[in-house]
């Protein structure tokens, strides 16, 4: 008897297999952390169905200069089928439960308590499918006084000290734009799910995987989150890279340079005409340079203002880690990005095509399938429902 094809298998899928080929993922999440975590799984070959409530993922509604589409939604949700299900309706809930029975992974970002009200909590779904990896992405975790509070990237930046440590010393707090907490949480989703799938090969059992923005924000600050016995609250916790590494203004823009090792420090001094500083024993370690940053940095600033950023980059880049401060637009056609094949041309039913990031992890043998466009709202609902009627 021939086994019917999986309803998770997307006809758009093409290209080589990935390390997660054959893994079926249900993505019930919205915004960035959960959805991009599922996209990372799709990049590695998993078949992902994105389940949206009527009205869709709220990220679709965010401002965008693309006609009829949202740039962030496209970037976060590539390589998925898209269906709309109203889980308050018995018929749609039945469809979801049929999908759960065939799924390997389910990811959602509902606040604690909501899955129970909807009837999709871990206990119920694991009883239906004991091999299910059930990943919940929350703001603050499953326990504690903040468990039901809404959590967002920049809220967690403010809460966990990230804002306080950005910007200039003794200056106002600053946000880091680009949703770093969300994207790191997405990486934790993909890593946690992959680990749980690996363990399932041994035990035959699924399990609960919990990822929170709070865990993500604190994990990102592991180098700061050390409190020795007897320490006070006000000890310095940020390395600031020895006081020398950082952004410097040039005659026409900004340059970032890193000179933490002795080799890089001496090369920087030699190539900026400050060889005497590189040979000075007062500055021959990161700690010493940090102590004397007030003497060193003004001299570096004066020298670096004398030439354009591109000249300094050419002069330093082989000897000192550095980069011109570039806009993200420069990355689309950067020769290093092209050499690593990080961008792909993706067909889209309304935009025609667009270029986007793909395959953020490189695999030597199981390269992974070609990416395809994030789904239009409700794109695959009818096809999926018809397939369940067969």
């Amino acid at each position: 008897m021939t086994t019917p094809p999986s309803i998770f298998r997307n006809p758009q899928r093409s290209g080589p297999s990935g390390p997660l080929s054959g893994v079926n993922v249900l993505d019930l999440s919205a915004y960035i952390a959960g959805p991009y975590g599922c996209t990372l799984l799709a990049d590695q070959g998993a078949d992902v169905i994105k389940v949206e409530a009527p009205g869709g993922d709220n990220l679709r509604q965010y401002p965008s200069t693309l006609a009829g589409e949202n740039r962030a939604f496209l970037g976060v949700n590539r390589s998925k089928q898209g269906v709309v299900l109203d889980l308050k309706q018995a018929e749609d809930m039945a469809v979801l439960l049929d999908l759960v029975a065939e799924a390997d992974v389910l990811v959602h970002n509902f606040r604690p308590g909501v899955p129970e009200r909807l009837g999709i909590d871990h206990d119920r779904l694991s009883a239906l499918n004991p091999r299910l990896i059930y990943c919940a992405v929350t703001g603050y975790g499953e326990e504690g006084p903040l468990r039901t509070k809404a959590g967002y990237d920049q809220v967690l930046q403010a809460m966990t000290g990230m804002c306080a440590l950005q910007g200039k010393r003794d200056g106002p707090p600053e946000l880091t734009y680009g949703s770093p907490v969300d994207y790191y949480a997405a990486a934790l989703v993909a890593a946690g799910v992959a680990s749980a799938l690996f363990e399932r090969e041994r035990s035959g059992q699924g399990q609960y995987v919990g990822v929170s923005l709070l865990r993500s924000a604190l994990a990102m600050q592991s180098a700061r989150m050390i409190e020795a016995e007897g320490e006070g609250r006000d000890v310095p916790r940020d390395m600031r890279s020895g006081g020398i590494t950082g952004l410097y203004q040039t005659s026409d823009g900004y340059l970032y340079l890193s000179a933490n090792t002795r080799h890089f420090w001496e090369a920087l001094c030699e190539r900026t005409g400050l060889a005497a500083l590189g040979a000075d024993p007062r500055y021959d370690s990161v700690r010493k340079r940090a102590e004397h940053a007030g003497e060193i940095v003004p001299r570096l600033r004066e020298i670096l203002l004398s030439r354009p950023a591109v000249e300094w980059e050419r002069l330093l880049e082989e000897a000192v880690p550095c980069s011109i401060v570039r806009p993200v637009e420069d990355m689309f056609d950067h020769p290093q990005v092209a050499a690593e094949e990080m961008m792909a041309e993706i067909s889209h039913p309304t935009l025609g095509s667009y270029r986007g990031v793909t395959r953020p992890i490189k695999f030597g043998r199981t390269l992974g399938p070609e990416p395809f466009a994030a789904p239009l709202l409700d794109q695959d609902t009818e096809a999926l429902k018809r397939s369940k009627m067969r």
Side-chain angles (χ1 to χ4, degrees):
M1 183 175 178
T2 303
T3 303
S6 168
I7 57 176
F8 281 82
R9 179 66 181 177
N10 194 316
Q12 296 182 74
R13 177 73 82 195
S14 64
S17 63
L20 294 180
S21 290
V23 172
N24 297 332
V25 179
L26 275 175
D27 176 11
L28 276 66
S29 60
Y31 293 102
I32 295 175
Y36 196 65
C38 293
T39 290
L40 294 174
L41 300 174
D43 286 338
Q44 297 174 65
D47 289 301
V48 181
I49 295 177
K50 183 176 179 69
V51 180
E52 298 178 75
D57 184 333
N58 198 43
L59 193 59
R60 292 183 183 271
Q61 311 305 321
Y62 274 47
S64 174
T65 53
L66 291 177
E69 276 292 351
N70 179 275
R71 199 179 305 274
F73 185 87
L74 292 178
V76 168
N77 288 284
R78 65 178 172 271
S79 302
K80 302 176 186 179
Q81 296 185 75
V83 303
V84 170
L85 297 176
D86 183 351
L87 301 186
K88 297 177 182 177
Q89 302 299 319
E91 179 184 352
D92 282 7
M93 175 59 81
V95 173
L96 179 70
L97 295 179
D98 284 345
L99 290 170
V100 169
E102 193 175 330
D104 296 290
V105 179
L106 180 143
V107 178
H108 73 72
N109 66 336
F110 297 114
R111 297 188 217 178
V114 174
E116 288 79 4
R117 292 200 298 273
L118 291 173
I120 58 168
D121 54 282
H122 175 249
D123 288 347
R124 181 183 183 190
L125 298 190
S126 63
L128 174 64
N129 179 355
R131 290 174 55 81
L132 183 69
I133 308 302
Y134 183 103
C135 180
V137 183
T138 61
Y140 302 90
E142 301 84 353
E143 309 295 336
L146 301 181
R147 63 188 293 272
T148 60
K149 182 180 177 181
Y152 292 92
D153 181 290
Q154 292 170 359
V155 175
L156 270 296
Q157 287 190 45
M159 174 186 174
T160 62
M162 294 179 74
C163 289
L165 283 163
Q166 295 304 309
K168 298 178 180 178
R169 290 185 186 276
D170 302 319
E174 293 184 13
L175 291 167
T176 300
Y177 290 97
S179 303
V181 177
D182 278 335
Y183 279 101
Y184 189 60
L188 294 177
V189 167
V193 165
S195 294
L197 286 168
F198 180 77
E199 193 279 335
R200 191 182 71 175
E201 293 303 300
R202 298 170 171 172
S203 68
Q205 297 180 332
Q207 64 176 299
Y208 182 93
V209 175
V211 174
S212 72
L213 300 188
L214 176 60
R215 288 179 183 275
S216 172
L218 294 183
M220 291 175 70
Q221 300 181 89
S222 293
R224 298 165 180 159
M225 291 291 295
I226 299 295
E227 184 178 50
E229 183 178 356
E231 274 191 324
R233 281 179 53 89
D234 297 329
V235 297
R237 296 187 184 278
D238 199 34
M239 294 181 295
R240 296 282 175 173
S241 298
I244 306 303
T245 290
L247 287 168
Y248 289 84
Q249 190 169 1
T250 68
S251 66
D252 68 346
Y254 285 86
L255 181 80
Y256 181 88
L257 59 85
S258 175
N260 293 330
T261 69
R262 182 168 183 169
H263 170 76
F264 293 144
W265 163 244
E266 291 177 351
L268 173 65
C269 292
E270 178 186 347
R271 298 198 178 200
T272 55
L274 298 172
L277 294 184
D280 194 321
R282 292 177 299 167
Y283 312 138
D284 63 5
S285 73
V286 174
R287 289 191 178 184
K288 288 181 181 179
R289 290 193 290 276
E291 291 169 2
H292 295 280
E295 304 163 14
I296 300 169
V297 170
R299 297 185 65 179
L300 268 176
R301 284 177 177 161
E302 183 181 3
I303 291 289
L304 292 171
L305 278 169
S306 65
R307 297 188 185 194
V310 67
E311 288 189 20
W312 283 119
E313 187 179 54
R314 282 199 296 264
L315 182 64
L316 298 175
E317 66 180 349
E318 295 300 322
V320 182
C322 67
S323 176
I324 296 171
V325 176
R326 293 178 168 86
V328 70
E329 288 79 9
D330 285 2
M331 293 297 98
F332 285 100
D333 296 303
H334 193 285
Q336 185 61 35
V337 174
E340 284 290 297
E341 299 180 335
M342 296 181 192
M343 303 294 296
E345 188 87 16
I346 299 175
S347 297
H348 189 274
T350 61
L351 297 176
S353 68
Y354 63 88
R355 286 197 293 167
V357 175
T358 182
R359 294 175 177 153
I361 303 171
K362 181 185 287 189
F363 293 94
R365 184 169 51 82
T366 55
L367 179 63
E370 297 298 326
F372 54 89
L376 302 176
L377 182 63
D378 212 20
Q379 174 179 290
D380 302 299
T381 308
E382 287 305 314
L384 182 143
K385 288 184 175 180
R386 284 197 304 270
S387 72
K388 296 303 295 178
M389 294 177 185
R390 293 171 187 167

